[in-house]
Amino acid sequence: MKSTQILFTDVNSQTWVEEILLNAESHPEFSENPSWSIRKTQLHGGLSEGVDLIEVNNGALQLSILPTRGMGVWKGNCQGIPLEWQSPVKSPVNPAFVTLSERGGLGWLSGFNELICRCGLISNGPPGADSAGNPLESELTLHGRIANTPAHYVSVELDPADGGWLKISGKMEEGMLFGSHFLLESTLETRLGSAEFRIRDRVTNLGPEPTESELLYHINVGAPFLGEGSRFAMPFKEMAPRDPRAAEGVNEFETYLGPTPGYAEQAYYFLPVCDENGDSPALLTGKKGALGFLVNFKKASLPYFTLWKNTQSESGGYVTGLEPAISFPNFRGVEREQGRLKRVEPGGSYETEFQVSILNNSDSVDEVRQKITKLSEQGPSVVHETPHPRFS
Amino acid sequence: MKSTQILFTDVNSQTWVEEILLNAESHPEFSENPSWSIRKTQLHGGLSEGVDLIEVNNGALQLSILPTRGMGVWKGNCQGIPLEWQSPVKSPVNPAFVTLSERGGLGWLSGFNELICRCGLISNGPPGADSAGNPLESELTLHGRIANTPAHYVSVELDPADGGWLKISGKMEEGMLFGSHFLLESTLETRLGSAEFRIRDRVTNLGPEPTESELLYHINVGAPFLGEGSRFAMPFKEMAPRDPRAAEGVNEFETYLGPTPGYAEQAYYFLPVCDENGDSPALLTGKKGALGFLVNFKKASLPYFTLWKNTQSESGGYVTGLEPAISFPNFRGVEREQGRLKRVEPGGSYETEFQVSILNNSDSVDEVRQKITKLSEQGPSVVHETPHPRFS
Amino acid sequence: MKSTQILFTDVNSQTWVEEILLNAESHPEFSENPSWSIRKTQLHGGLSEGVDLIEVNNGALQLSILPTRGMGVWKGNCQGIPLEWQSPVKSPVNPAFVTLSERGGLGWLSGFNELICRCGLISNGPPGADSAGNPLESELTLHGRIANTPAHYVSVELDPADGGWLKISGKMEEGMLFGSHFLLESTLETRLGSAEFRIRDRVTNLGPEPTESELLYHINVGAPFLGEGSRFAMPFKEMAPRDPRAAEGVNEFETYLGPTPGYAEQAYYFLPVCDENGDSPALLTGKKGALGFLVNFKKASLPYFTLWKNTQSESGGYVTGLEPAISFPNFRGVEREQGRLKRVEPGGSYETEFQVSILNNSDSVDEVRQKITKLSEQGPSVVHETPHPRFS
């Protein structure tokens, strides 16, 4: 049996579907499992005016994908367990309302509320003036433009292989005359009935010059995975706190506080270790250990990992970030010095891949924990007590 | 009989009504008065593309409310008398086209044409860098963000009490991770057949920290209320010109010039006096005294008042502003020093209220004038001839 | 027989047509020629979300007009010959996504991909701080705002005169309180079956003060007109390279390189010569001389001309610009000093006019070449080898 392709958006061919519902009724041939659906709508009102929304339901897992916000994943739900955090920004923000250069280059935060959003493509990290690279792009703003770049192409594939896969693809371009020019092709895939989904991205340099790129996945998790006593675990070779503030908590990096008024964010930078398949597991577990949010990322494609702890008050945005990336979220100049920027040749590209799994019982959590322990024991896990010049 | 609630917009529940007409035909039970209507549409074309518009008609008074522009009141009409001014900006501007930080922080002006628009919520007044407060919010832009914040929730209530009231409510939020977080709940109410409407607002701090707030009502009136020989009257305890330019005209603050090429704006700051109900009346009357635009504001909620005189050429935007507020429209740092900023605790809120009445005959105008005179005679009305350090 | 007027957009009267097709079927009375059409749609997806598009087909020539982008001409096609260039920006960009002040004031480039776009109305040329003029408008951004100003009024006229003319008109305003206030009324006209179209614009100062204006037509052409060995020709009195980079190629200004990696743009400034009708012909021809892109501009209305050579790699945006204007695209301060700014009195206006003709055979190309040669021989054509202070 062959895959079915449904085109939602293609600016070139003037294709755009305002509303559509795909399910077992519209596509009975796709799968024997009748409980899946893909619903495409458009949001209206407030700062969400005009935001395209794709709600994917594989029967066990629901995910809300935002073509208008660079194919970010707004939030999800896995068999009743919310996959989200409570940002002060309540609903998806149309990039038309976001001015990245405002607020000292931190305007990006005014649209930030996703479970998964990408940071890149020309830069990631704090704002500032980077005199190297293209002068048109020297005024860097927080975390780059890609999360605020609407997809010009969106399609869905119903792939009957292996019980049935839902695959949602989008394409975004960052480019302009005299500037750099990147294409991001993104696919989110999930199997019917599964508590997992996978994201595979390819970034291609469409411009005429070799160009530096950065890309980080800001995977942001709140309750019920995050709470007082929650734990983080990942096998790693080396870790360093980003700054003195993070150094204060370096010995407790694996554990979380509850919502803490006045808490200032802490970030830890890791060199991960992977298993024999090349996967690095990063695991956030609730206090009781019966619930886990697992990010398995292909280390070859995402060699660096940042743990962002932001356990401030709930009303301020209680959240932690599990952030695999092709570099650390330092200022681009720092990453250039450290040789961590991706240099993409004209016509060249790079790919990334990771998978998110929701673990909803002690057995599955324990299994991953044991795997992480085992991987950790293969070599030393160096923890720098203070910021290290190779890291930040 | 019970009120009828009609929801126009709610991003959370994915509710949005593109077009609707409510009137005696759709809601015959509401009132015996058949001449009311509420019409919701969306504007298209130019800088108005995508602007939601609610046209309220109580049978005597029409008001055009702009959910997309923070529930501002674009313009009105009272039994044939236009309530408006002629801004160079001809139609409502979608905030997506406004960049507040442009033009030296004066980008707000590129969308300014309302009869009533709010200035706030974190600041009001001129742009500049305010190093106190949240660093994310230190690059203040003219008059803040609220007039360019679309409502994420809009509802209408048909309340049969007392002959029938039309009540239009909207909610806007200003907030982001690491930033302040305010909710503005706004209601505009008007009774069927009345030449009056009332605005009641509540501002709530949804964030985790005590936060400074400012809020000013920029109520802007042109012809036929404003013209050569028009007069302003308000009972006050103390008044000071904002700056040397205003001081030039301090002795003529109560009277208006006709359209005057090259006229530079003048602003006067007042400490109002209120009546036994707590209302302070601010009155603009035409030369003949048969027409009045009256703003009655609750002094306890809006303790400061600014008179803005901008009687430049008609093509430049001949207008005056009657501006009750919780502070003066000085730079935020000045207001902080003077202790006029509202400090709102987490979960705390403050409310404001004022009423606009259109007076269309000499008797009603005289009555208000006499009331103002009487209130003025209760104590001295100090006029500072020059700018005073307590005021600006 | 009378003209037929069809209104597409008028914000004032709340008129807007989302989709419409005008053709011989809908308007059989208009012309015996059945092969024309005018189709109005709205683009969706990516940065094109919400962009209005008018596709005009006169039977021989197709043009895509963008009301949302100041009535620019995105691209065209003449009997199979594409009229376009390959910008890194692939589809029309909604100005809601453009922040002109970003990227050091070069944000304009993030929406630049048109065959014809206007630069103006208060300024044209590079960004910078111009302390003269209105302080609200001293932070000049590249090429001004008009290409990113949506039309608030769009209408089509079917004029049966002379075999039938299609006329598409749009109005844009740039204005705000305390700022300058210009109205641009634009008309594009093409006769059925013709390989030509004409643009006629009028700029009116609606504000109360005399105001400086600039206006340049950025007419951008790629393959098949542009290629290695393509030639430019225009009769002129005087020419100077803009800068040392342009001076490097001043002796080869008439010829083009093929796509050249690393090529930096070159610009040449001309004082044109016109024929007895006041037309100045600027001609780009392919290597074989059988294809020509001819711009005939009314020299009295557009006294200056810039040739922009940007023959970089195809993926970077291989293109040349034929740019008639009311001034040179220097920084506004330079143009002021040279007395080239248009000063428009309140209520005053100026008009511009040019025509584009596609030549598709050697005879028609030769004819124009001979005309240019003849006009050139009427007097000296001074070429300054280096930048000249009167020019740049």
Side-chain angles (χ1 to χ4, degrees):
Chain A
M1 228 185 112
K2 284 171 58 183
S3 279
T4 303
Q5 301 274 354
I6 303 107
L7 187 59
F8 281 11
T9 301
D10 180 22
V11 175
N12 284 349
S13 63
Q14 296 195 22
T15 303
W16 180 68
V17 176
E18 184 168 358
E19 287 197 19
I20 195 168
L21 175 63
L22 314 178
N23 58 19
E25 208 167 316
S26 68
H27 291 76
E29 75 293 353
F30 165 51
S31 168
E32 292 180 2
N33 182 332
S35 59
W36 67 277
S37 63
I38 297 176
R39 181 175 167 244
K40 196 270 160 186
T41 54
Q42 193 175 39
L43 299 177
H44 291 286
L47 298 169
S48 298
E49 176 65 35
V51 171
D52 278 344
L53 172 65
I54 301 177
E55 290 165 297
V56 180
N57 183 351
N58 74 6
L61 181 68
Q62 288 97 45
L63 296 169
S64 298
I65 300 171
L66 301 171
T68 305
R69 292 189 55 80
M71 300 301 287
V73 180
W74 175 22
K75 58 180 182 180
N77 192 294
C78 186
Q79 293 167 311
I81 307 165
L83 314 178
E84 63 184 31
W85 61 292
Q86 301 304 323
S87 170
V89 180
K90 294 301 178 204
S91 66
V93 178
N94 191 322
F97 295 117
V98 176
T99 303
L100 296 171
S101 54
E102 282 183 350
R103 302 174 182 272
L106 299 173
W108 184 91
L109 288 166
S110 65
F112 177 49
N113 62 8
E114 289 99 337
L115 175 69
I116 303 180
C117 81
R118 292 170 183 83
C119 304
L121 299 174
I122 68 159
S123 71
N124 168 42
D130 181 1
S131 55
N134 189 320
L136 251 184
E137 293 162 357
S138 65
E139 292 178 7
L140 300 182
T141 55
L142 179 68
H143 291 338
R145 300 176 167 273
I146 194 62
N148 287 281
T149 301
H152 63 274
Y153 182 95
V154 181
S155 69
V156 163
E157 180 183 349
L158 306 177
D159 180 353
D162 207 14
W165 285 79
L166 308 177
K167 302 182 177 178
I168 294 87
S169 296
K171 299 182 188 177
M172 283 69 63
E173 278 187 35
E174 290 187 8
M176 58 195 289
L177 189 70
F178 304 138
S180 62
H181 189 186
F182 284 113
L183 166 68
L184 168 59
E185 295 166 286
S186 158
T187 301
L188 183 149
E189 306 174 328
T190 186
R191 199 150 66 86
L192 296 198
S194 152
E196 299 181 338
F197 62 98
R198 191 160 59 200
I199 285 183
R200 292 184 297 113
D201 285 354
R202 180 167 54 204
V203 175
T204 303
N205 179 1
L206 300 181
E209 308 283 347
T211 307
E212 298 168 346
S213 178
E214 293 192 275
L215 180 56
L216 175 143
Y217 296 89
H218 220 297
I219 307 175
N220 310 295
V221 189
F225 300 94
L226 182 64
E228 187 180 353
S230 288
R231 297 189 66 87
F232 170 76
M234 191 177 75
F236 63 89
K237 233 173 62 181
E238 215 173 328
M239 181 271 262
R242 183 182 63 183
D243 49 27
R245 165 63 186 144
E248 293 173 15
V250 71
N251 294 318
E252 297 85 36
F253 82 89
E254 288 171 312
T255 59
Y256 286 92
L257 298 175
T260 306
Y263 181 94
E265 63 171 9
Q266 296 178 312
Y268 301 95
Y269 290 171
F270 294 83
L271 300 180
V273 163
C274 64
D275 66 16
E276 65 282 10
N277 297 318
D279 289 317
S280 291
L283 177 67
L284 175 69
T285 50
K287 190 180 184 176
K288 295 179 184 166
L291 206 55
F293 191 103
L294 172 64
V295 178
N296 258 310
F297 55 98
K298 293 287 176 201
K299 198 195 122 194
S301 74
L302 295 163
Y304 303 99
F305 183 92
T306 298
L307 176 66
W308 175 51
K309 297 174 81 172
N310 190 43
T311 53
Q312 54 175 294
S313 312
E314 287 189 62
S315 63
Y318 182 66
V319 65
T320 190
L322 312 181
E323 307 177 355
I326 65 168
S327 63
F328 287 128
N330 296 309
F331 186 64
R332 190 171 70 178
V334 173
E335 292 304 280
R336 184 182 295 114
E337 277 172 31
Q338 293 294 332
R340 285 189 290 256
L341 296 182
K342 186 74 88 178
R343 178 187 157 104
V344 193
E345 297 298 316
S349 65
Y350 66 92
E351 297 183 4
T352 62
E353 183 178 330
F354 67 94
Q355 180 168 300
V356 171
S357 309
I358 304 308
L359 314 176
N360 63 1
N361 60 69
S362 308
D363 287 352
S364 57
V365 169
D366 287 346
E367 193 182 325
V368 176
R369 277 189 177 160
Q370 285 162 23
K371 177 181 169 177
I372 290 173
T373 304
K374 213 167 143 193
L375 287 170
S376 297
E377 288 168 356
Q378 291 177 355
S381 300
V382 177
V383 169
H384 299 281
E385 299 278 325
T386 54
H388 189 284
R390 222 177 338 101
F391 288 76
S392 56
Chain B
M1 231 185 108
K2 282 174 56 182
S3 279
T4 303
Q5 300 273 353
I6 303 106
L7 187 59
F8 281 10
T9 300
D10 179 22
V11 175
N12 284 349
S13 62
Q14 296 195 23
T15 303
W16 179 69
V17 176
E18 184 168 356
E19 288 196 20
I20 195 168
L21 176 63
L22 314 178
N23 56 21
E25 208 166 316
S26 68
H27 291 76
E29 76 292 353
F30 166 49
S31 168
E32 293 180 2
N33 181 333
S35 60
W36 67 276
S37 64
I38 297 176
R39 181 173 166 244
K40 196 271 161 185
T41 53
Q42 191 174 40
L43 298 178
H44 291 286
L47 298 168
S48 299
E49 177 64 36
V51 171
D52 278 344
L53 172 66
I54 301 177
E55 291 165 297
V56 179
N57 183 351
N58 75 4
L61 181 69
Q62 288 98 46
L63 296 169
S64 297
I65 299 171
L66 301 171
T68 305
R69 292 189 55 80
M71 300 301 287
V73 180
W74 176 22
K75 58 180 182 180
N77 192 294
C78 186
Q79 293 167 311
I81 306 164
L83 314 179
E84 64 185 31
W85 61 292
Q86 300 304 322
S87 169
V89 180
K90 295 300 177 204
S91 66
V93 177
N94 191 322
F97 296 116
V98 176
T99 303
L100 296 171
S101 55
E102 283 184 349
R103 302 175 182 270
L106 299 173
W108 185 90
L109 288 167
S110 65
F112 176 48
N113 63 8
E114 288 99 338
L115 174 70
I116 302 180
C117 82
R118 292 169 183 83
C119 304
L121 298 174
I122 68 159
S123 71
N124 168 40
D130 181 2
S131 54
N134 190 320
L136 252 184
E137 293 162 357
S138 65
E139 293 178 7
L140 301 181
T141 55
L142 179 68
H143 291 337
R145 300 176 166 273
I146 195 62
N148 287 280
T149 301
H152 63 275
Y153 182 95
V154 181
S155 69
V156 163
E157 180 182 351
L158 306 177
D159 180 353
D162 207 14
W165 285 80
L166 308 177
K167 302 181 177 180
I168 294 87
S169 296
K171 298 182 189 178
M172 283 71 60
E173 277 187 37
E174 291 186 7
M176 59 196 288
L177 188 70
F178 304 138
S180 61
H181 190 186
F182 283 113
L183 165 68
L184 168 59
E185 296 168 285
S186 158
T187 300
L188 183 149
E189 307 173 328
T190 186
R191 198 150 66 87
L192 296 198
S194 152
E196 298 182 338
F197 63 97
R198 191 158 61 199
I199 286 183
R200 291 184 298 111
D201 285 354
R202 179 166 55 205
V203 175
T204 303
N205 180 2
L206 300 181
E209 307 283 347
T211 307
E212 298 168 345
S213 178
E214 294 190 275
L215 179 56
L216 174 144
Y217 296 89
H218 220 297
I219 307 175
N220 311 295
V221 189
F225 301 93
L226 181 65
E228 188 180 352
S230 288
R231 297 188 66 87
F232 169 76
M234 191 177 77
F236 63 91
K237 232 173 64 181
E238 212 173 333
M239 181 272 263
R242 182 183 63 183
D243 49 27
R245 165 62 188 145
E248 294 173 16
V250 72
N251 293 319
E252 296 85 36
F253 82 89
E254 288 170 311
T255 60
Y256 287 93
L257 298 175
T260 306
Y263 181 94
E265 63 171 10
Q266 296 178 314
Y268 301 94
Y269 290 171
F270 294 84
L271 300 180
V273 163
C274 65
D275 65 15
E276 65 282 9
N277 297 318
D279 290 316
S280 291
L283 177 67
L284 174 70
T285 49
K287 190 179 185 176
K288 294 180 185 167
L291 205 56
F293 190 104
L294 172 65
V295 178
N296 259 311
F297 55 98
K298 292 285 177 204
K299 198 195 122 194
S301 72
L302 296 163
Y304 303 100
F305 183 91
T306 298
L307 176 66
W308 175 51
K309 297 174 82 173
N310 190 43
T311 52
Q312 53 174 295
S313 312
E314 287 190 60
S315 63
Y318 181 67
V319 67
T320 190
L322 312 181
E323 307 176 357
I326 66 169
S327 63
F328 289 128
N330 296 310
F331 185 65
R332 191 171 69 178
V334 173
E335 293 304 281
R336 184 183 295 112
E337 278 173 31
Q338 294 295 332
R340 286 189 290 255
L341 295 183
K342 185 77 85 177
R343 179 187 156 104
V344 191
E345 296 299 316
S349 64
Y350 66 91
E351 297 183 4
T352 62
E353 184 179 330
F354 66 94
Q355 179 167 298
V356 172
S357 308
I358 306 307
L359 314 177
N360 64 0
N361 60 67
S362 307
D363 288 353
S364 57
V365 169
D366 287 346
E367 193 182 327
V368 176
R369 276 190 178 159
Q370 284 161 23
K371 176 181 171 177
I372 291 174
T373 304
K374 213 167 145 192
L375 286 169
S376 297
E377 289 166 357
Q378 292 177 355
S381 299
V382 177
V383 171
H384 299 281
E385 299 278 325
T386 54
H388 187 286
R390 221 173 344 99
F391 287 76
S392 57
Chain C
M1 231 185 108
K2 282 174 58 182
S3 280
T4 303
Q5 301 274 355
I6 303 106
L7 187 60
F8 282 11
T9 300
D10 179 23
V11 175
N12 285 349
S13 62
Q14 296 195 25
T15 303
W16 179 69
V17 177
E18 184 168 358
E19 287 197 21
I20 195 168
L21 176 63
L22 313 178
N23 58 19
E25 209 167 315
S26 68
H27 291 77
E29 74 294 351
F30 165 51
S31 167
E32 293 179 2
N33 182 332
S35 60
W36 68 275
S37 64
I38 297 176
R39 182 176 165 243
K40 196 272 162 185
T41 53
Q42 192 175 40
L43 298 177
H44 292 285
L47 298 168
S48 300
E49 177 65 35
V51 170
D52 278 344
L53 173 65
I54 301 177
E55 291 166 297
V56 179
N57 183 351
N58 74 6
L61 181 69
Q62 289 97 46
L63 296 168
S64 297
I65 300 171
L66 301 171
T68 306
R69 292 190 55 80
M71 301 300 286
V73 181
W74 177 21
K75 59 182 182 180
N77 192 294
C78 187
Q79 293 167 314
I81 307 165
L83 314 179
E84 63 184 32
W85 62 291
Q86 300 304 323
S87 170
V89 181
K90 294 302 178 203
S91 66
V93 177
N94 192 322
F97 295 117
V98 175
T99 303
L100 295 172
S101 55
E102 282 184 349
R103 303 175 182 270
L106 299 173
W108 184 90
L109 288 166
S110 66
F112 176 48
N113 62 8
E114 290 100 337
L115 175 70
I116 303 179
C117 82
R118 293 170 183 82
C119 303
L121 298 174
I122 68 159
S123 71
N124 169 42
D130 182 2
S131 55
N134 190 319
L136 251 184
E137 293 162 358
S138 66
E139 292 178 7
L140 300 182
T141 56
L142 180 68
H143 292 337
R145 300 177 166 271
I146 194 64
N148 288 280
T149 301
H152 63 274
Y153 183 95
V154 181
S155 69
V156 163
E157 180 183 349
L158 306 177
D159 180 353
D162 207 15
W165 285 80
L166 308 177
K167 302 181 177 180
I168 294 87
S169 296
K171 298 182 190 179
M172 282 71 61
E173 278 186 36
E174 290 187 9
M176 59 197 287
L177 189 69
F178 303 138
S180 61
H181 189 187
F182 283 114
L183 165 68
L184 169 59
E185 296 167 285
S186 158
T187 301
L188 182 150
E189 307 174 327
T190 187
R191 198 150 66 87
L192 296 199
S194 152
E196 298 181 338
F197 63 97
R198 192 159 59 201
I199 285 183
R200 291 184 298 112
D201 285 355
R202 180 167 52 207
V203 175
T204 302
N205 179 1
L206 300 181
E209 306 284 346
T211 308
E212 297 168 346
S213 178
E214 294 191 275
L215 180 56
L216 174 144
Y217 295 89
H218 220 298
I219 307 174
N220 311 295
V221 189
F225 300 94
L226 182 64
E228 187 181 352
S230 287
R231 298 188 66 86
F232 170 75
M234 192 178 75
F236 63 90
K237 233 174 64 181
E238 215 173 329
M239 181 272 262
R242 182 182 63 183
D243 49 28
R245 166 60 187 146
E248 293 173 17
V250 70
N251 294 318
E252 297 84 37
F253 82 89
E254 288 169 312
T255 60
Y256 286 93
L257 299 174
T260 305
Y263 181 94
E265 63 170 9
Q266 295 178 313
Y268 301 94
Y269 290 171
F270 295 84
L271 300 181
V273 163
C274 65
D275 67 16
E276 65 281 10
N277 297 319
D279 289 317
S280 290
L283 177 67
L284 174 70
T285 51
K287 190 180 184 175
K288 294 180 184 166
L291 207 56
F293 191 103
L294 173 63
V295 179
N296 259 311
F297 55 97
K298 294 286 176 202
K299 198 196 121 194
S301 72
L302 296 164
Y304 302 100
F305 183 92
T306 297
L307 176 66
W308 175 51
K309 298 173 81 173
N310 190 43
T311 53
Q312 54 175 294
S313 311
E314 286 188 58
S315 63
Y318 181 67
V319 66
T320 191
L322 312 180
E323 307 176 357
I326 66 169
S327 62
F328 288 129
N330 296 310
F331 185 64
R332 190 171 69 178
V334 174
E335 294 303 282
R336 183 183 295 113
E337 277 173 31
Q338 293 295 331
R340 286 189 290 255
L341 295 183
K342 185 77 85 178
R343 179 187 157 104
V344 192
E345 297 297 317
S349 65
Y350 65 92
E351 297 184 4
T352 62
E353 183 178 330
F354 67 93
Q355 179 166 298
V356 171
S357 308
I358 305 308
L359 314 176
N360 64 0
N361 60 67
S362 308
D363 287 352
S364 56
V365 169
D366 287 347
E367 194 183 324
V368 175
R369 276 189 177 160
Q370 284 162 22
K371 177 182 170 177
I372 290 174
T373 303
K374 214 168 144 190
L375 287 169
S376 296
E377 288 167 358
Q378 291 177 356
S381 299
V382 177
V383 171
H384 299 282
E385 299 279 325
T386 53
H388 188 285
R390 221 174 341 102
F391 287 76
S392 56

